[in-house]
Amino acid sequence: MRSREHAANEGRKLGAAAGAASGVRSRRRVEQISGPSSSRRSAGLGSGSSLRGGSASGPGVPSGEGASYSRDESAARLKEKRRTDAKAKDRKRIWIGSGVFVAIIIVVTLVMSWNLWWRYDDAADIQGTWTVQGSKEKVKITDSAIYLTDTLFYNYSLDTNEKRITFSFEDKQGDGVYSFSNNRNTLTIAEENADSATNEEDPSIFTTLERESSDE
């Protein structure tokens, strides 16, 4: 009887030890299987907590100080761009204004040159009958001579580019400059005074002629 009881006790002890060993092995297998996913879940929760707490600063989520610096830098760039654009517009206005001014000068010069040298035919306009201004003395001018009377005349030639007139009488010669009024009805001849070397107050002799109305 005792041997049977002893054997039964031993059997129960062995069964309990086997059950404990089996439970330990089962827990280890479970830990081996579930350990990585648990680590992953723990890591994920830690990361999420960091994101929710706002303490992590990823590359696409600037911190407060970084965002402020970025705004200041953007504002500075915008201000510099506006300044550059304003300078470019000022330079453009200056160039346009200068171009317009130069164009006006060129146009005025061309008009004056055309009016002075090419608009009229001086050789044709000088011909006709003229009256000496302030007197009744008449002068007739042909294409080659200036008649003071029917028998007294000067031969002359014109340089229409330089607006100079050269005349001769027998063995004497003289020259001067001439000009027409705007309506071409008044002719002024400034003859160089032969005595201008000794008479500086009157270097030229001016003769003003007015066209006869019948020649207009």
Side-chain angles (χ1 to χ4, degrees), residues 107-134:
V107 170
V108 170
T109 301
L110 289 175
V111 170
M112 292 180 63
S113 299
W114 171 74
N115 186 64
L116 184 61
W117 286 293
W118 302 306
R119 181 181 181 184
Y120 301 105
D121 184 356
D122 290 351
D125 290 345
I126 200 172
Q127 298 180 44
T129 302
W130 302 80
T131 300
V132 177
Q133 191 178 59

Side-chain angles (χ1 to χ4, degrees), residues 57-75:
S57 297
V61 184
S63 63
E65 184 179 355
S68 176
Y69 174 78
S70 178
R71 288 194 298 269
D72 292 343
E73 185 179 9
S74 299

Side-chain angles (χ1 to χ4, degrees), residues 165-182:
I165 181 171
T166 301
F167 38 84
S168 61
F169 178 73
E170 295 181 351
D171 59 345
K172 297 180 180 179
Q173 290 186 347
D175 63 357
V177 295
Y178 70 91
S179 62
F180 286 93
S181 62
N182 291 333

Side-chain angles (χ1 to χ4, degrees), residues 38-116:
S38 297
S39 300
R40 286 196 294 270
R41 285 196 297 271
S42 299
L45 290 173
S47 176
S49 298
S50 298
L51 288 175
R52 286 194 297 270
S55 60
S57 297
V61 184
S63 63
E65 184 179 355
S68 176
Y69 174 78
S70 178
R71 288 194 298 269
D72 292 343
E73 185 179 9
S74 299
R77 289 180 180 176
L78 180 60
K79 185 176 181 180
E80 182 64 25
K81 185 178 182 301
R82 289 177 177 175
R83 185 184 298 111
T84 302
D85 292 343
K87 289 182 179 179
K89 290 180 180 179
D90 290 340
R91 286 194 296 269
K92 185 177 181 181
R93 283 194 291 266
I94 291 173
W95 278 108
I96 292 175
S98 300
V100 171
F101 178 76
V102 171
I104 292 174
I105 294 298
I106 292 174
V107 170
V108 170
T109 301
L110 289 175
V111 170
M112 292 180 63
S113 299
W114 171 74
N115 186 64
L116 184 61

Side-chain angles (χ1 to χ4, degrees), residues 129-133 135-139 208-210 212:
T129 302
W130 302 80
T131 300
V132 177
Q133 191 178 59
S135 71
K136 296 182 179 180
E137 183 180 352
K138 296 183 183 299
V139 176
T208 301
L209 306 176
E210 294 179 350
E212 288 284 291

